[in-house]
Amino acid sequence: MKMASLKIMKVLGSAALVAGALALPAAAQEGRGDVVYVPTPQIVVDTMLQMAKIGPKDFLIDLGSGDGRFVITAASKYGASAFGVDLDTYLLKLANQNAQKAGVTDKVRFIEENLFTTDLSRATVISTYLLPEMNLRLRPKFMALKPGTRIVTHDYHLGDWEPDEQRELIVPEKKVGNPGISYLFSYVVPARVPGKWQSLVNIGGRDTPLEFNLQQEFQEVEGKVEIRDRIVDLRGRIMGESIRMVAAARDGLPRHEFSGQIGDGTIKGTLVIGEGTGRQQLPWSARQIQRGELKRAADELPEVK
Ligand SMILES: C[S@@+](CC[C@H](N)C(=O)[O-])C[C@H]1O[C@@H](n2cnc3c(N)ncnc32)[C@H](O)[C@@H]1O
């Protein structure tokens, strides 16, 4: 399942890359830096911001902000604060004028800055319309952001970091990039759980120790859990600070489903044992006793095909 969807995404990525080299319309500014200026159609901006579930408490950063449409829409339609960075002084001026027209100058800012040096630590939402290799260069910085930070990208994904959501939009007015169609990707920065964890769960009136050994690649988790001298495989997924892991039923041991909220060295949630009417739901918490590394170092760049 994972392999198939990755394959599709790689094809999309390379198709988009070739199409991205097409000529720009005469009216567009060229942009500066590592990619030319191509504006994201407004319907795509709106849909991406909705995928990011942006709201008044959010702080958006648009990397390569062009005429400011992501930043201005985040503020004017969704009440967020936002800033954009670009290297093109013409576009920065245009973005400031557009912010003035939209009446959001108190909520937005545009800065002349190289997006690879931008401090992203304040962001709760990041938007990009950049080339695939630029997204991959930024990926380690994205993975290091606060868990729960949302990243939305247009036309180009983040390589083998699988999106939490992806959509395609038919956009007849789009003449460059992928003409007529936009690919939208949304990611939630996962909390980190690799390493060893311990729990004590009261099962059937008996305190039962559980020991977990977890590996993590992006938001996917796999590992082993030791339950009553039995070691069973676990698979799961993290969405921001939420985790869900399942040990399938095997050799007389019922299915165990662990879900909870990840804190600093703790997970608090529930354990469901068994399925159907006989299932039992118990409070579950775990404590980290040894930290591990992410399966793939966050700063390791994948091969770009
Ligand atoms: C494809 S346009 C996207 C504009 C806008 N985000 C949108 O989606 O409508 C990319 C923008 O990135 C800017 N850019 C390219 N390389 C940059 C860099 N290294 N630092 C800052 N901005 C850069 C270009 O000037 C251009 O405005």
Side-chain angles (χ1 to χ4, degrees):
M1 164 73 176
K2 181 181 178 187
M3 291 312 290
S5 62
L6 277 182
K7 214 167 175 186
I8 292 165
M9 292 200 313
K10 275 187 181 141
V11 172
L12 282 182
S14 47
L17 177 59
V18 173
L22 292 176
L24 288 170
Q29 291 301 305
E30 283 206 345
R32 285 196 130 202
D34 303 274
V35 58
V36 294
Y37 172 56
V38 181
T40 296
Q42 188 60 42
I43 178 74
V44 177
V45 173
D46 281 311
T47 309
M48 285 170 66
L49 293 178
Q50 285 156 18
M51 286 166 78
K53 299 185 176 70
I54 197 163
K57 289 190 183 146
D58 280 308
F59 188 86
L60 172 131
I61 300 179
D62 187 35
L63 295 173
S65 47
D67 69 358
R69 55 186 64 199
F70 272 102
V71 169
I72 293 165
T73 307
S76 62
K77 278 200 183 161
Y78 302 97
S81 302
F83 86 80
V85 300
D86 210 294
L87 291 173
D88 186 311
T89 49
Y90 172 87
L91 289 170
L92 286 162
K93 197 168 154 206
L94 182 62
N96 275 313
Q97 285 168 356
N98 289 341
Q100 215 145 29
K101 277 190 214 149
V104 291
T105 47
D106 57 329
K107 282 188 165 290
V108 309
R109 220 154 43 96
F110 295 96
I111 300 168
E112 184 179 349
E113 185 173 77
N114 187 332
L115 61 89
F116 290 109
T117 62
T118 299
D119 175 6
L120 304 180
S121 59
R122 271 189 76 191
T124 58
V125 178
I126 290 177
S127 53
T128 75
Y129 186 17
L130 302 171
L131 291 170
E133 59 271 26
M134 296 175 78
N135 283 347
L136 292 184
R137 266 181 78 187
L138 288 164
R139 200 170 72 174
K141 278 181 92 173
F142 293 163
M143 269 301 286
L145 291 171
K146 278 189 300 285
T149 304
R150 287 89 76 206
I151 299 153
V152 280
T153 70
H154 180 197
D155 273 352
Y156 307 106
H157 51 67
L158 298 180
D160 51 359
W161 178 355
E162 262 199 61
D164 293 293
E165 188 187 349
Q166 65 186 92
R167 295 190 198 177
E168 287 177 20
L169 276 191
I170 302 300
V171 194
E173 70 272 27
K174 189 175 177 219
K175 305 292 180 222
V176 288
N178 296 304
I181 187 161
S182 279
Y183 302 101
L184 288 58
F185 304 94
S186 166
Y187 303 81
V188 181
V189 174
R192 295 177 180 223
V193 297
K196 291 193 175 161
W197 296 75
Q198 275 179 346
S199 291
L200 195 62
V201 186
N202 192 290
I203 304 175
R206 219 169 95 194
D207 278 344
T208 309
L210 306 179
E211 184 150 327
F212 302 79
N213 196 347
L214 303 179
Q215 283 100 47
Q216 179 180 348
E217 186 173 19
F218 303 110
Q219 69 279 67
E220 290 188 16
V221 178
E222 58 179 29
K224 309 238 178 243
V225 55
E226 189 175 338
I227 308 172
R228 290 187 180 145
D229 300 328
R230 304 272 298 277
I231 297 178
V232 287
D233 291 335
L234 267 178
R235 281 192 173 279
R237 200 172 167 94
I238 299 171
M239 180 70 132
E241 289 169 322
S242 304
I243 187 167
R244 183 178 162 275
M245 304 183 284
V246 172
R250 233 189 82 194
D251 304 334
L253 198 71
R255 178 182 190 272
H256 285 61
E257 178 178 332
F258 302 89
S259 54
Q261 288 298 113
I262 304 160
D264 189 14
T266 61
I267 305 176
K268 291 199 172 87
T270 52
L271 164 61
V272 176
I273 303 177
E275 287 167 276
T277 46
R279 71 207 268 275
Q280 199 188 350
Q281 182 166 322
L282 304 165
W284 167 65
S285 64
R287 183 174 63 86
Q288 189 157 35
I289 53 165
Q290 190 186 314
R291 271 182 207 276
E293 294 295 319
L294 289 176
K295 207 167 175 191
R296 181 117 69 84
D299 56 358
E300 184 189 317
L301 287 182
E303 205 185 322
V304 183
K305 297 218 168 98

